Amino acid sequence: MKFTDVILQTSAKILVFIILTFSIYVLFAGHNNPGGGFIGGLITASALVLLYIAFDVKTVHEILPIDFKIVGAVGLMIALLTGIGSLVVDEPFLSQTFWYEDLPLFGKTELTTALVFDLGVYLAVVGTTMTIILSIGEDE
Amino acid sequence: MNNLVILPILLPLFSGVLLFFLRRQIRTQQAITLVATTATLISSLVLIGSISRDGIQILNMGGWEAPYGITLVADMLAALLTATASIVTIACLLYTFHSIGEDRKKFYVYPLLLLLLCGVNGSFLTGDIFNLFVFFEVMLISSYALISLGGGKVQLRETIKYMITNIISSMLFIVAVAYLYSITGTLSMAHLSERVALAGQDGLITTVSLLFLIVFGLKAGLLLFFWLPGSYSAPPAAIAAIFAALLTKVGIYAIMRMFTLIFYHQSDFTHTVLVWMSALTMILGAVGAIAYGDIRRILAYNVIVSVGFVVFGVAVASREALTGAVFYLIHDMLAKALIFILGGVIVSIAGTDRLRDISGLIRFRPTLGWLFFLSALALAGVPPLSGFVGKVMILQGGIAQSYYVMAAIGLLTSLLVLYSVMKIFINSFWGETLLSEGEEKSPGKGYLLPGAMLAALLIGLGLGAETVLTYVGQAVEVMLNPMLYIEAVLPQTGM
């Protein structure tokens, strides 16, 4: 007997976008409010897991042809490079800096290199979580 | 500020992450790993040079001053050990090129080795106790993956034991850090030392110090070594060699740091405990080493004996004994790597590690035989080789402080160690050969370069002891006089 997951799939299509938006919000809010790379990454991963539950591994892989091991490694690399950047300008390792910029939509915004580090953490968390879940899920 | 201090941690970490992108190109992986470890070695050597010129090197990460940020502290002890760790990693790496199968190489064995080196070097260089915990975990998680990689039945069984033991000891580590933080309110080692000295080391702080001793005893195989023989005989020889040479030594280093920098006020109590633990470790390790008839177990128990010996030197805590302990620690990292590699070669040639099934290898493998003989003598501490100097200084230091019984135990276990490795030599190299015509050219290649490199270093360390001892002396100076460390980390004392 074949189940049809119409309700699950339809609500997943909407919910995934809400969860993803919220995870991005949490990632950017991290500097002044609760949030940051780790929790943002976990929320993104939970949105992806919802996709995998509602559809199946093959379908989702067609939509998102990403190797999550590489995502994790890219994240680590970004976090490392922000540290190495401070070596280049002859500051102690992992020094951070910030400046203000007038962005088109947001107005005067504080930009920090700590955000780039957080982005690295975010990608590393997404990559690791999804690698764990998918390698257990695909295991026969 | 000196960014040189971060390089022994950063180089392996960066190249380890880089290798994740090159999973299928094994040749490229090998080349990058070799370049990265060599660069790590060079940066450690440069670091040793600048420490011997200008004293302890400090890096406040992110530019935050000492008790508030994380400080990396490269004193001579840390720099000597990072250099030795890089040498050992290079040697084991050269051996993996031939001895490790394609299946493991494709599943990230090189990135894991580099991350292991990053964790080890980080543990040596950090000046913050929580950061020490983090680097321990970096090292341990890489070692979990390395020990289980390949997925044989024995490996999986031993991985579970190894992981459970280490998870429990890491949890105790966190609890100990929490206690210490609630008593002193700081995590920077220099600041901790100052605060403990200010408060006077009362019963509570001594209890916490014993908790740290249990934690690092579990990591180093000091008395609590029940997990070690099994898990060190499970992985392939090249990986077991790197474990034997590095992992327990980080635990010993942590004991050294803790009990010379922070908890040195109640030495009549804590150091007596240390002496007894080390004596029991030596005895039990030696008993294990002579009891078994298979190569891997004998070598694993030899690791335990040397842990006991170094900690005995730390526990005596005189200038002479500490110099001996540091020297012996450096020697032991090199010697253990060499003998594990050679033991692995014997096992892979004979196809078994039971001594009674191996015989007469010297006929076809004279170089291997004499290298093994040399490393056995170095391990036991025969004069021209490097094991001698450290042993003599530890024993002299012990006798000067009237630890006669312990010194006798130390000498006796040296004899038993010699007996246990000579048993391997005599059984497997002498006698009628059991190898058939076809097996003469059987596997076991690729040991020659790392073997010769390590053997040359062991001889050089023995003959050039005078030169090395000047550097070791600078390391011991800081251990004897914690104010040097504190003043380097906290320039404005009286925080």
Side-chain angles (χ1 to χ4, degrees):
Chain A
M1 174 180 178
K2 192 177 183 305
F3 290 100
T4 45
D5 307 323
V6 181
I7 297 177
L8 178 63
Q9 291 185 349
T10 317
S11 45
K13 279 176 196 164
I14 303 164
L15 281 176
V16 162
F17 281 100
I18 300 174
I19 300 173
L20 282 178
T21 317
F22 183 60
S23 76
I24 301 294
Y25 166 75
V26 167
L27 168 67
F28 283 103
H31 204 67
N32 299 315
N33 285 303
F38 186 76
I39 184 83
L42 281 182
I43 296 175
T44 303
S46 69
L48 294 176
V49 169
L50 182 61
L51 270 187
Y52 279 102
I53 290 174
F55 300 89
D56 57 302
V57 174
K58 220 176 127 197
T59 320
V60 181
H61 195 74
E62 271 168 22
I63 311 166
L64 287 172
I66 304 171
D67 183 357
F68 283 104
K69 293 197 249 340
I70 297 297
V71 173
V74 168
L76 276 178
M77 208 43 140
I78 292 174
L80 264 177
L81 286 175
T82 55
I84 293 170
S86 52
L87 294 192
V88 175
V89 294
D90 205 29
E91 287 288 319
F93 185 69
L94 280 177
S95 296
Q96 63 143 335
T97 176
F98 66 95
W99 67 96
Y100 291 94
E101 193 79 46
D102 270 322
L103 293 181
L105 206 56
F106 301 97
K108 189 181 170 197
T109 314
E110 185 190 14
L111 293 178
T112 66
T113 52
L115 179 66
V116 185
F117 187 86
D118 240 11
L119 194 67
V121 174
Y122 170 85
L123 289 176
V125 170
V126 172
T128 315
T129 320
M130 294 314 293
T131 307
I132 293 172
I133 290 172
L134 287 182
S135 26
I136 295 173
E138 286 169 347
D139 194 33
E140 290 300 316
Chain B
M1 186 212 83
N2 184 353
N3 274 320
L4 188 60
V5 183
I6 191 80
L7 285 184
I9 305 173
L10 188 61
L11 287 169
L13 181 58
F14 182 77
S15 45
V17 175
L18 193 66
L19 292 190
F20 275 95
F21 298 102
L22 306 165
R23 179 173 164 197
R24 311 234 169 248
Q25 291 94 311
I26 291 171
R27 295 252 158 215
T28 325
Q29 284 204 26
Q30 290 174 339
I32 292 179
T33 317
L34 200 56
V35 170
T37 39
T38 316
T40 313
L41 175 62
I42 292 169
S43 67
S44 312
L45 293 178
V46 174
L47 200 55
I48 290 177
S50 68
I51 294 167
S52 74
R53 269 196 318 276
D54 314 323
I56 299 174
Q57 300 289 309
I58 298 292
L59 173 63
N60 289 320
M61 292 236 259
W64 299 97
E65 287 291 320
Y68 307 111
I70 290 172
T71 319
L72 293 185
V73 186
D75 65 343
M76 192 47 98
L77 176 63
L80 283 175
L81 291 178
T82 51
T84 320
S86 319
I87 293 173
V88 167
T89 313
I90 292 174
C92 294
L93 196 66
L94 290 172
Y95 183 51
T96 59
F97 289 174
H98 290 275
S99 70
I100 294 230
E102 197 83 338
D103 47 340
R104 283 197 174 87
K105 284 180 186 167
K106 273 199 186 125
F107 279 95
Y108 305 113
V109 75
Y110 292 116
L112 288 170
L113 279 176
L114 284 168
L115 292 180
L116 184 78
L117 181 63
C118 162
V120 170
N121 281 350
S123 311
F124 289 147
L125 287 172
T126 185
D128 181 283
I129 201 160
F130 192 78
N131 210 230
L132 179 69
F133 169 78
V134 174
F135 277 120
F136 258 103
E137 287 305 301
V138 170
M139 172 183 92
L140 286 173
I141 290 173
S142 324
S143 74
Y144 300 154
L146 280 173
I147 199 174
S148 63
L149 200 64
K153 196 176 167 193
V154 182
Q155 279 183 302
L156 292 182
R157 192 181 64 218
E158 295 303 334
T159 308
I160 288 189
K161 292 182 199 164
Y162 179 70
M163 279 184 72
I164 290 176
T165 319
N166 275 304
I167 287 172
I168 290 174
S169 73
S170 297
M171 198 189 67
L172 285 176
F173 193 170
I174 280 292
V175 172
V177 169
Y179 280 140
L180 198 57
Y181 184 68
S182 71
I183 295 168
T184 59
T186 180
L187 289 172
S188 153
M189 286 190 200
H191 202 208
L192 266 176
S193 170
E194 217 172 39
R195 287 262 168 105
V196 169
L198 207 65
Q201 192 177 335
D202 56 3
L204 200 56
I205 295 180
T206 309
T207 315
V208 174
S209 80
L210 289 184
L211 190 54
F212 274 109
L213 187 58
I214 293 173
V215 171
F216 296 131
L218 268 169
K219 311 266 189 205
L222 176 69
L223 193 58
L224 306 166
F225 58 72
F226 53 88
W227 55 273
L228 194 147
S231 38
Y232 279 22
S233 37
I239 290 167
I242 212 164
F243 279 19
L246 299 184
L247 295 190
T248 54
K249 275 59 181 183
V250 180
I252 298 176
Y253 166 81
I255 290 176
M256 280 182 170
R257 224 357 137 225
M258 285 291 155
F259 286 90
T260 57
L261 182 63
I262 302 174
F263 305 116
Y264 56 91
H265 304 282
Q266 292 289 335
S267 55
D268 46 339
F269 178 68
T270 51
H271 287 56
T272 314
V273 175
L274 270 177
V275 165
W276 280 106
M277 282 177 89
S278 68
L280 282 173
T281 313
M282 282 192 276
I283 294 170
L284 294 174
V287 168
I290 56 174
Y292 282 94
D294 40 353
I295 295 175
R296 291 200 181 106
R297 296 248 161 201
I298 294 175
L299 295 183
Y301 276 101
N302 271 310
V303 174
I304 298 168
V305 179
S306 63
V307 169
F309 206 78
V310 175
V311 174
F312 175 54
V314 178
V316 172
S318 64
R319 178 184 297 272
E320 196 155 37
L322 282 174
T323 314
V326 174
F327 192 91
Y328 196 78
L329 188 61
I330 294 169
H331 145 79
D332 195 59
M333 287 166 84
L334 300 171
K336 283 285 147 36
L338 178 60
I339 204 155
F340 265 73
I341 289 177
L342 296 178
V345 176
I346 297 176
V347 173
S348 81
I349 291 174
T352 172
D353 74 341
R354 304 184 64 78
L355 278 180
R356 79 170 83 116
D357 301 337
I358 312 172
S359 177
L361 284 179
I362 196 93
R363 177 170 306 211
F364 299 113
R365 305 286 172 141
T367 337
L368 176 65
W370 295 119
L371 267 180
F372 192 89
F373 184 67
L374 182 93
S375 68
L377 292 186
L379 213 58
V382 173
L385 298 164
S386 59
F388 177 67
V389 187
K391 267 194 178 163
V392 165
M393 295 186 88
I394 292 179
L395 290 175
Q396 276 181 347
I399 288 168
Q401 306 268 328
S402 20
Y403 288 110
Y404 298 114
V405 183
M406 311 299 163
I409 292 175
L411 280 173
L412 182 70
T413 51
S414 297
L415 197 64
L416 294 179
V417 161
L418 185 63
Y419 168 71
S420 72
V421 280
M422 275 309 168
K423 191 169 73 179
I424 302 181
F425 179 71
I426 290 171
N427 265 305
S428 50
F429 286 98
W430 290 0
E432 286 298 312
T433 181
L434 289 179
L435 294 182
S436 58
E437 285 294 314
E439 283 177 316
E440 292 164 33
K441 302 280 178 216
S442 59
K445 275 186 293 187
Y447 69 91
L448 205 57
L449 185 58
M453 190 178 110
L454 288 173
L457 278 170
L458 285 180
I459 298 171
L461 200 59
L463 296 179
E466 284 294 319
T467 330
V468 182
L469 279 177
T470 54
Y471 293 106
V472 173
Q474 291 181 10
V476 171
E477 201 57 52
V478 178
M479 293 165 83
L480 287 171
N481 187 2
M483 276 319 282
L484 291 174
Y485 188 100
I486 298 171
E487 273 162 15
V489 179
L490 306 165
Q492 68 290 30
T493 34
M495 289 291 294

